[in-house]
């Protein structure tokens, strides 16, 4: 291959057409073909010479990229006037033009109005050079701090999980040898050879955690599900940014999945929310390769979306927000992890749709399904949700205007309605041609038509007002208000203090330490119990406060755009659903 | 040819040098030395001059041609005396061996060359055009602002090139080369590897002949047909060659001059050589035989032919391997005896300067030997071989500090690896091009592509300027804390910026006493900055081209610089003219390092060789070949015995200075190595590279393995053990931060520095 390249090097000469074009540009017409050939050879040679000199400057500048200043310096070396006006731009856009059978690439230089430049405010002064020290290695071991690259790069994590039997590459093999040495293994020398011998086997992944890692794990998990919000924020931040979590990933994933399993049964909304926030943090960590643990994480997330009951008082607590949040997580993981082989998105969509279409599905599950589907994007809304708006509208109407069945159903229907309106309106505003006729909407979408119409009109006016911000504004208007009022009304409506519930935790897990201010329920000493105060009072307000503030903290500006489109659907009872999901992913 | 290198040092300069030791001002030198110095200095150019004409048999023809051209010119200018001297020299030099250590024979000729210069600056510049190191060298030497103008060079280049004019049928070149190739492929395995070395230089010279004789198409066809056969490490040179397809291109092309004027050196065993010779004579293959005679220097040795791996280890440089004679000179690699300073038992009492005291604790080896350190190391140069500055009180204090720190030093080894503290330069949009750290690790300086030099204090002690003269006059000079009082508290800051250069700063070096900072730049100057006033003190002009590297001597006062003009210069801070010029490299000098005993200077170059120069007489005492790319990092081991070098090919090579041998190869890096450093005790070698890693190597083991071998028995054909993996103790990846500098603190903590490049 090198041979071929070299042969090419020999023959590369600028085309004579370029010579002609350049000659014309300086006013020399009708250059003879022979002169062109001679010129192009000479010019090519000189250019190569200059490029070779420029490379020297690049090497001494300790760069990998040749810059225009290198060329200038090389020209200076040859006692040639450097080219003025070419600054080191990362990207110099060449434009292409053709005409009269000739093709030309040129660098577009726009005329600049000086007054414009003078009048524009000065850009911010770039930060000054500064010096920052960190430990690259401490007595031979590289600490896992953000300043250092992750111990196992994502690519390596990926190769390990996707091609476990592949030959270990020389670099990795060498690294593992070093790791072996660094971890102070006694037979450091023998280990290298040992590893070499085992090369064809699946590389061992270390399952034991160091004492520090165990401590870290304990601290983090406790903080994540503990009562102190400040600590939790810190812990989540650590999960989302720390590059060295690779080895603890299996533990975290088990922690989350077990935690969801237990707390769904216990209807412990707060803990479910905390666990979902952990999932979010894990997904945000750019150094982790989560694919290996999706079989644990996805069922947990789906459970939080569609579970029939997520809290003890469905009429009061804002479990809707949890569903929304989990639905967003689901959509995000579909986007990042869905491939042609695992097909996550289509499997998830199928699951949601199936439950939604079932008549017996409860309103809560229905809400979850719709939320889950609508977070998947406008296309999904258009193809799956919009056609069913009329049917769904009829169902909502039956609850809202029919004989009062139960308060819970009514709240559910109300939420489903607003969810559908929120997500569908933006999609319709984008796709449906004007005008927005209320009657037309009623015939198209049934019961929800008129409301939808007003939402669409609102969306359109806002879009017109601030074309860019439209999506964000609709979100702020439609979302937080109702949730807030619901939970507050719940607070006032809830009767006397509830008895504290005791949650049993699998012995392998430490979910949280006993909360402070727990009513005097003695906890049996042998097994570890977690006592949750769900009574109205300090604990429950705190709980709600946490619950109310998370949508804001977790929605980053970048996310909002997609997150706010979406809309709706439904399902059946949770248990079979969870089982279905589990069965599919395990 | 190279004869002219004497002209590098013009008279004015020479005077300067001769008088130098006397007005050195650094005391401590004796008259003896002065005389010695002068004589040997003269010797240097002479002996270099003989360097080109070293091979009586093969070199005669071309030498004569060059000499004739020179003589003609001299006659034309009525420089009869010079003509005579030159004639005499030519006669002499023919039986002079190349070895630059032979001072005496060179002495006269050096003077001669000097005379030539004195009489005509023109002649000087002219001659140097013909010389190995091409015009750039002489231009700077005579301070003639000629920037390698191709037109000017013309007549002389023609003289040089005339060797190519002999005509052969261009169509037959292909046949000649093919038949030789067939022959070499058919010989016994043991000879094949050796004879294959002939391919590359033959290929180059045949190609150049074709080009010179205007057979452009044949040349291209020839290149295309056979360039693929050449070893991959010649790719860079082949790229240059491939661009050169016309006779006009050959003018002023430095690469071409390198090929033409310096003989490509091959080491071949006698048997293999006989085989080749017989073949060529049988076939009447005169074309190839002529090339071998004229352009190749075949260093024949008796004994077993070398294996392919042995050959590959040593080849790769622009002009073949080093001749064996080139590395025969004696090198005093031992360390100088440290002045004895009593370490006061009482920490507060630092006034004591009694002469009898504890032995110096510089090297732990000596440490263990205790009293032995008082004795002179047999390999060490005499204490006053070159005049060194006298120790000042502050230096003594520093030495005491050093010894105190040294007692707290961690003993490193494979089981106790050093901790690495990484200093990242953030927001260095300008491009960080050089870094240095003071020996006591209190200051870090960075050179940037935007021409600035920045100095940081990494200790809580801030950087302060000295007060202005007016304020200074108010200070009570008798007070105890006068040194404190002269500092201007208002200027205290963590970093200072030094403005003065007009191009990227490529080299930077602190003086050992931390009072000065040197920086070398693309603008062709080396600047000396004061770290008391944070102003520029001197701009040393001499290199007219970018200066790639500079470094202070470990004892201060002297410094060395090297750059694009292929000449390394030795300067003293109080002279604005260089004291020595080290010329001989065939391409840019990319890095320069002082030997720990300050008597030698190592330079690495783009011609892929490392040379070791004697500061005393300017002779080249070692040439190391084996790198396959430009060398960007050099490091001496603390005991002065070994040298480590790193290049763009990502390999670290280890050299035994005393024996002049390659003794190890450390593979692992995947990109250019920009920094190398031995730990204070020489147990660990750290290398930092463009590939964002710091690697630690077991230097003790690498050297130990070899000390068991019998060097002298072998003809310098070392068989390198493939043990890079065993020697690699650790690899530490940084986050997209190329490692530009490494430094071991006095307690053996490793500091690394680089610019974060997100």
């Amino acid at each position: 291959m090198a041979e071929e390249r070299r042969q090419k090097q020999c023959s590369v000469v600028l085309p004579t057409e370029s010579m002609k074009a350049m000659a014309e540009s300086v006013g020399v017409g009708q250059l003879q073909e022979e002169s062109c050939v001679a010129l192009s050879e000479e010019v090519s040679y000189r250019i190569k010479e200059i490029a070779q000199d420029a490379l020297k400057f690049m090497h001494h500048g300790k760069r990998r990229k040749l810059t225009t200043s290198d060329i200038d310096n090389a020209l200076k070396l040859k006692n040639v006037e450097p080219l003025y006006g070419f600054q080191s731009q990362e990207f110099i856009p060449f434009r292409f033009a053709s005409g009269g059978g000739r093709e030309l690439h040129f660098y577009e230089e726009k005329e600049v109005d000086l007054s414009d430049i003078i009048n524009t405010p000065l850009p911010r002064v770039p930060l000054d050079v500064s010096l920052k020290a960190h430990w690259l290695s401490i007595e031979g071991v590289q600490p896992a701090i953000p300043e250092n690259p992750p111990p196992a790069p994502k690519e390596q994590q990926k190769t390990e999980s996707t091609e476990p039997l592949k030959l270990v590459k020389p670099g990795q093999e060498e690294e593992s040898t070093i790791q072996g040495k660094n971890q102070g293994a006694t037979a450091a020398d023998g280990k290298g050879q040992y590893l070499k011998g085992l090369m064809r086997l699946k590389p061992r992944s270390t399952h034991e955690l160091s004492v520090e890692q165990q401590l870290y794990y304990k601290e983090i998990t406790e903080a994540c599900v503990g009562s102190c919000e400040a600590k939790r924020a810190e812990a989540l931040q650590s999960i989302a940014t720390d590059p060295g979590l690779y080895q603890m990933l299996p533990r975290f994933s088990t922690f989350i999945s077990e935690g969801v399993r237990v707390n769904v049964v216990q209807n412990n909304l707060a803990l479910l929310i905390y666990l979902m926030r952990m999932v979010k943090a894990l997904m945000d960590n750019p150094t982790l390769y989560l694919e290996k643990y999706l079989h644990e994480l996805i069922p947990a997330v789906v459970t939080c979306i569609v579970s029939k009951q997520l809290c003890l008082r469905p009429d009061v607590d804002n479990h809707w927000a949890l569903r929304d949040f989990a639905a967003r997580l689901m959509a995000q993981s579909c986007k990042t992890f869905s491939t042609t082989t695992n097909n996550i998105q289509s499997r998830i969509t199928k699951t949601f749709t199936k439950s939604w279409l079932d008549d017996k599905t409860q309103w809560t599950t229905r809400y979850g399904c719709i939320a889950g589907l609508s977070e998947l994007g406008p296309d999904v809304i258009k193809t799956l949700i919009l056609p069913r708006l009329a049917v769904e509208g009829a169902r909502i109407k039956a609850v809202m205007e029919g004989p009062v069945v139960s308060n819970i159903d009514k709240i559910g229907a109300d939420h489903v309605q607003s969810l559908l309106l929120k997500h569908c309106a933006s999609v319709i505003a984008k796709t449906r041609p004007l005008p927005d006729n209320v009657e037309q909407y009623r015939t198209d979408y049934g019961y929800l038509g008129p409301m939808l119409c007003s939402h669409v009109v609102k969306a359109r006016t806002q879009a017109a007002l601030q074309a860019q911000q439209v999506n964000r504004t609709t979100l702020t208007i439609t979302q937080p208000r109702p949730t807030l009022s619901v939970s507050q009304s719940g607070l006032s409506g809830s009767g006397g203090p509830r008895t504290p519930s005791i949650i049993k935790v699998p012995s392998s897990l430490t979910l949280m330490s006993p909360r402070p201010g727990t009513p005097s329920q003695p906890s049996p000493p042998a097994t570890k119990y977690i006592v949750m105060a769900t009574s109205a009072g300090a604990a429950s307000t705190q709980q709600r406060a946490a619950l109310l503030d998370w949508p804001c903290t977790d929605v980053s500006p970048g996310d909002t755009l997609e997150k706010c489109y979406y809309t709706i659907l439904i399902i059946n009872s949770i248990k079979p659903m969870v089982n279905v999901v589990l069965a599919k992913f395990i | 040819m190279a004869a002219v290198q004497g002209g590098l040092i013009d008279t004015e300069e020479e005077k300067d040098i001769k008088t130098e030791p006397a007005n050195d001002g650094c005391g401590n030198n004796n008259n003896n030395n002065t005389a010695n110095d002068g004589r040997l200095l003269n010797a240097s150019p002479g002996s270099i001059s003989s360097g080109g004409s070293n091979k009586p048999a093969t070199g005669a023809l071309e030498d004569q041609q060059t000499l004739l051209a020179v003589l003609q010119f001299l006659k034309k200018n009525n420089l009869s005396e010079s003509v005579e001297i030159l004639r005499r020299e030519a006669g002499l030099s023919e039986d002079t061996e190349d070895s630059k250590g032979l001072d005496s024979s060179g002495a006269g000729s050096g003077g001669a060359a000097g005379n030539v210069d004195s009489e005509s600056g023109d002649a000087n510049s002219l001659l140097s055009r013909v010389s190995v190191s091409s015009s750039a060298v002489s231009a700077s030497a005579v301070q003639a602002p000629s920037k390698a103008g191709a037109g000017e060079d013309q007549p002389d280049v023609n003289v040089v090139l005339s060797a190519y004019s002999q005509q052969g049928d261009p169509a037959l070149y292909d046949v000649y080369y093919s038949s030789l190739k067939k022959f070499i492929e058919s010989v016994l395995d043991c000879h094949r590897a050796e004879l294959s070395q002939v391919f590359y230089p033959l290929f180059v010279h045949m190609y150049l002949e074709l080009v010179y004789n205007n057979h452009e198409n044949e040349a291209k066809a020839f290149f295309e047909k056979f360039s693929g056969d050449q070893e991959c490490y010649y790719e860079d040179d082949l790229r240059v060659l491939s661009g050169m397809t016309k006779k006009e291109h050959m003018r002023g092309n430095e690469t071409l001059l390198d090929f033409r004027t310096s003989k490509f050196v091959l080491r071949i065993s006698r048997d293999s050589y006989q085989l080749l010779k017989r073949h060529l004579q049988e076939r009447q293959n005169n074309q190839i035989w002529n090339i071998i005679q004229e352009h190749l220097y075949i260093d024949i040795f008796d004994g077993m032919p070398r294996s392919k791996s042995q050959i590959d280890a040593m080849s790769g440089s622009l002009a073949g391997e080093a001749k064996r004679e080139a590395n025969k000179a004696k090198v005093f690699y031992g360390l100088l005896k440290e002045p004895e300073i009593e370490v006061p038992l009482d920490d507060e009492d630092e006034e004591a300067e009694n002469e009898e005291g504890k032995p110096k604790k510089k090297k732990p080896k000596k440490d263990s030997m205790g009293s032995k350190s008082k004795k002179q190391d047999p390999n060490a140069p005499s204490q006053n071989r070159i005049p060194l500055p006298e120790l000042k009180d502050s230096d003594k204090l520093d030495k005491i500090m050093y010894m105190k720190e040294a007692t707290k030093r961690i003993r490193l080894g494979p089981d106790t690896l050093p901790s690495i503290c990484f200093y990242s330069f953030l927001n260095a949009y300008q491009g960080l091009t050089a870094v240095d750290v003071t020996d006591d690790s209190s200051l870090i300086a960075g050179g940037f592509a935007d021409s600035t030099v920045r100095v940081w204090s990494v200790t809580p002690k801030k950087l302060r300027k000295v007060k202005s003269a007016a304020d200074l006059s108010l200070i009570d000079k008798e007070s105890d804390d006068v040194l404190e009082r002269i500092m201007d508290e208002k200027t205290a800051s963590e970093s200072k910026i030094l403005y003065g250069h007009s191009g990227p700063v490529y080299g930077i070096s602190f003086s050992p006493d931390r009072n000065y900072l040197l920086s070398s730049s693309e603008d062709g100057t080396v600047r000396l900055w004061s770290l008391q006033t944070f102003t520029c003190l001197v701009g040393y002009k001499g290199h007219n081209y970018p200066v790639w590297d500079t470094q202070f001597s470990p004892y201060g006062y002297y410094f060395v610089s090297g750059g694009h003009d292929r000449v390394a210069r030795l300067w003293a801070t109080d002279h604005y003219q260089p004291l020595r010029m080290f010329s001989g490299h065939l391409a840019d000098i990319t890095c320069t390092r002082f030997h720990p005993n300050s008597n030698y200077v190592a330079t690495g170059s783009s011609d892929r060789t490392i040379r070791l120069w004697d500061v005393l007489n300017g002779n080249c005492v070692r040439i190391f070949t084996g790198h396959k790319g430009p060398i960007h990092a050099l490091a001496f081991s603390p005991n002065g015995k070994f040298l480590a070098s790193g290049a763009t090919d990502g390999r670290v090579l280890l050299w035994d200075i005393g024996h002049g041998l390659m003794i190890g190869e450390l593979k692992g890096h995947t990109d250019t190595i920009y920094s190398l450093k031995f730990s204070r005790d020489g147990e660990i070698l750290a290398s930092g590279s463009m590939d964002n890693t710091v690697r630690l190597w077991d230097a003790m083991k690498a050297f130990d393995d070899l000390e068991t071998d019998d060097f002298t028995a072998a003809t310098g054909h070392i068989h390198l053990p493939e043990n890079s993996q065993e020697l690699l103790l650790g690899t530490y990846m940084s986050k997209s931060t190329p490692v530009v500098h490494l430094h071991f603190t006095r307690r053996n903590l490793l500091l690394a520095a680089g610019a974060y490049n997100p």
Side-chain angles (χ1 to χ4, degrees), chain B residues 202-222:
Chain B
L202 264 188
F203 168 81
V204 172
H205 285 290
M206 289 173 89
Y207 176 76
L208 289 178
E209 258 184 61
L210 284 172
V211 172
Y212 184 77
N213 292 317
N214 286 325
H215 304 299
E216 191 184 333
N217 291 331
E218 283 87 352
K220 272 188 189 164
F222 184 76

Side-chain angles (χ1 to χ4, degrees), chain B residues 150-393:
Chain B
E152 271 177 72
D153 282 349
Q154 195 41 33
D156 315 300
V157 172
N158 274 346
V159 171
V160 171
L161 292 178
S162 60
Y164 280 136
S165 60
Q166 41 178 209
Q167 279 283 1
D169 184 354
L172 287 178
Y173 277 57
D174 196 338
V175 180
Y176 290 149
Y177 191 87
S178 306
S179 77
L180 183 72
K181 193 172 148 189
K182 213 174 278 164
F183 162 71
I184 291 180
E185 274 164 6
S186 69
V187 298
L188 283 175
D189 281 359
C190 60
H191 299 299
R192 191 188 303 150
E194 286 213 309
L195 292 182
S196 301
Q197 299 176 81
V198 178
F199 281 137
Y200 175 68
L202 264 188
F203 168 81
V204 172
H205 285 290
M206 289 173 89
Y207 176 76
L208 289 178
E209 258 184 61
L210 284 172
V211 172
Y212 184 77
N213 292 317
N214 286 325
H215 304 299
E216 191 184 333
N217 291 331
E218 283 87 352
K220 272 188 189 164
F222 184 76
F223 189 91
E224 266 173 46
K225 189 159 179 193
F226 298 113
S227 65
D229 300 344
Q230 311 307 330
E231 300 284 354
C232 54
Y233 39 80
Y234 293 121
E235 199 175 340
D236 287 346
D237 292 336
L238 288 175
R239 199 175 295 137
V240 175
L241 277 183
S242 73
M244 198 165 8
T245 52
K246 288 197 179 317
K247 192 178 173 183
E248 296 83 58
H249 295 162
M250 295 171 87
R251 287 179 203 156
N253 187 302
E254 291 159 356
T255 317
L256 170 103
L257 280 172
D258 291 338
F259 278 123
R260 180 58 196 85
T261 54
S262 60
K263 295 197 170 199
F264 197 94
V265 182
L266 300 171
R267 270 189 214 176
I268 294 186
S269 70
R270 190 170 297 283
D271 293 351
S272 305
Y273 180 70
Q274 296 292 357
L275 213 59
L276 178 71
K277 198 170 160 188
R278 211 177 309 136
H279 167 80
L280 291 175
Q281 280 169 352
E282 271 171 20
R283 293 292 178 90
Q284 303 278 305
N285 203 339
N286 288 329
Q287 197 75 25
I288 288 184
W289 186 241
N290 283 343
I291 291 180
I292 292 182
Q293 294 269 303
E294 285 169 30
H295 303 300
L296 269 54
Y297 175 96
I298 298 188
D299 192 357
I300 302 163
F301 62 86
D302 295 303
M304 283 287 290
R306 293 187 293 169
S307 70
K308 175 97 179 106
S309 63
Q310 280 176 318
I311 292 169
D312 278 347
M314 300 295 286
S315 56
S317 101
L318 197 63
E321 295 179 37
K323 292 164 201 162
R324 272 173 302 160
E325 294 77 30
N327 288 338
K328 288 278 188 263
K330 166 120 175 110
V331 174
F332 301 101
Y333 55 79
L335 299 175
L336 294 180
K337 207 164 60 172
E338 288 292 330
E340 285 165 357
I341 300 167
E342 184 176 284
V343 181
L345 291 173
D346 181 7
D347 280 8
E348 304 305 316
D349 180 17
E350 289 173 336
E351 296 298 316
E353 276 160 35
N354 206 338
E355 280 311 301
E356 37 104 74
K358 267 210 215 172
K360 182 71 183 79
K361 283 273 186 350
K362 180 142 189 179
K363 302 295 160 265
K365 270 192 178 163
K366 287 188 171 178
D367 235 9
S368 52
M369 292 177 223
S371 62
K372 217 181 168 185
S373 67
K374 278 185 180 169
K375 246 191 271 165
Q376 177 78 5
D377 182 342
N379 290 313
S382 64
Q383 206 68 13
N384 45 18
R385 188 162 177 268
I386 62 163
L388 291 173
E390 209 169 59
L391 282 185
K392 288 179 291 204
D393 285 357

Side-chain angles (χ1 to χ4, degrees), chain A residues 1-156:
Chain A
M1 219 181 106
E3 240 172 88
E4 282 168 33
R5 212 183 307 145
R6 229 178 262 160
Q7 281 175 13
K8 264 186 203 156
Q9 278 165 11
C10 183
S11 55
V12 170
V13 171
L14 290 172
T16 49
E17 288 80 39
S18 310
M19 293 302 122
K20 279 191 183 142
M22 284 176 218
E24 274 171 31
S25 72
V26 293
V28 181
Q30 298 305 319
L31 205 63
Q32 288 196 346
E33 189 63 28
E34 277 172 35
S35 340
C36 281
V37 172
L39 257 180
S40 72
E41 280 177 2
E42 177 67 15
V43 169
S44 310
Y45 171 70
R46 297 292 163 202
I47 288 181
K48 281 180 196 169
E49 222 179 21
I50 288 166
Q52 281 154 7
D53 275 342
L55 275 178
K56 275 184 196 168
F57 285 94
M58 181 191 79
H59 278 300
H60 284 281
K62 288 156 177 118
R63 275 176 280 116
R64 277 204 193 83
K65 225 180 244 169
L66 194 70
T67 65
T68 46
S69 62
D70 292 331
I71 307 270
D72 285 348
N73 286 333
L75 287 170
K76 266 165 88 183
L77 216 58
K78 296 237 170 286
N79 215 9
V80 180
E81 192 86 339
L83 297 167
Y84 297 108
F86 287 91
Q87 291 306 312
S88 290
Q89 266 175 332
E90 282 290 295
F91 170 65
I92 300 173
F94 279 100
R95 294 203 39 200
F96 173 73
S98 64
R102 292 174 63 182
E103 297 175 336
L104 192 65
H105 290 267
F106 63 95
Y107 175 47
E108 192 175 30
E109 287 179 293
K110 287 194 189 118
E111 275 185 24
V112 184
D113 193 352
L114 274 181
S115 61
D116 278 0
I117 294 182
I118 294 165
N119 292 331
T120 46
L122 287 173
R124 276 178 53 204
V125 180
L127 293 170
D128 198 16
V129 192
S130 61
L131 204 56
K132 186 176 185 299
H134 71 266
W135 290 107
L136 186 67
S137 141
I138 297 170
E139 285 168 6
V141 185
Q142 187 159 25
I145 48 173
E147 285 88 349
N148 286 329
K154 212 166 174 183
E155 290 74 39
Q156 194 191 326

